[in-house]
Amino acid sequence: MKKKMILLALIGVGIALFYILDFQQYLSLQNLKASRDRLDMVYQENSLPVIFGFIGIYFLIVALSLPGATILTLAGGAIFGPRIGTLVVNIGATLGATIAFLVAR
């Protein structure tokens, strides 16, 4: 029972931080359009860290059931291209959904 309470508290803290720190402002179509060139430049310079960072962010958004997965999916296609973007988004979504399922179970 103690493990479940700790897990519930961690999920609550994660969701609260998302809204308190106003991270939802970064998950908007306007912000994606404004940041596209900069994100593309960062990806060209550091491909692997950007891919793993994106998967981690997508994982957290899906695992905590936060809004913004649609914008992240569009961002993945815009930054990585259709093939790599599809692969990266599917990995993040699958890992996040798996964790959300296991937590709910």
Side-chain angles (χ1 to χ4, degrees):
M1 186 68 173
K2 186 177 179 182
K3 288 181 183 180
K4 289 181 182 180
M5 294 303 287
I6 291 172
L7 182 61
L8 185 61
L10 286 175
I11 291 171
V13 167
I15 293 171
L17 284 175
F18 179 79
Y19 287 108
I20 290 170
L21 298 175
D22 200 25
F23 284 134
Q24 59 195 2
Q25 72 178 347
Y26 299 110
L27 298 175
S28 68
L29 192 56
Q30 293 82 12
N31 191 31
L32 175 60
K33 288 178 183 178
S35 303
R36 188 190 182 306
D37 293 333
R38 186 181 51 157
L39 291 170
D40 190 40
M41 184 181 69
V42 171
Y43 171 63
Q44 296 302 325
E45 293 173 359
N46 306 307
S47 297
L48 220 48
V50 170
I51 288 173
F52 286 121
F54 186 86
I55 289 172
I57 291 169
Y58 205 103
F59 164 78
L60 288 174
I61 293 294
V62 173
L64 295 175
S65 299
L66 297 171
T70 303
I71 299 300
L72 281 178
T73 302
L74 294 172
I79 296 168
F80 306 119
R83 290 189 179 115
I84 295 175
T86 300
L87 180 66
V88 168
V89 165
N90 280 325
I91 290 170
T94 302
L95 292 174
T98 301
I99 294 300
F101 169 76
L102 291 174
V103 168
R105 191 162 189 233

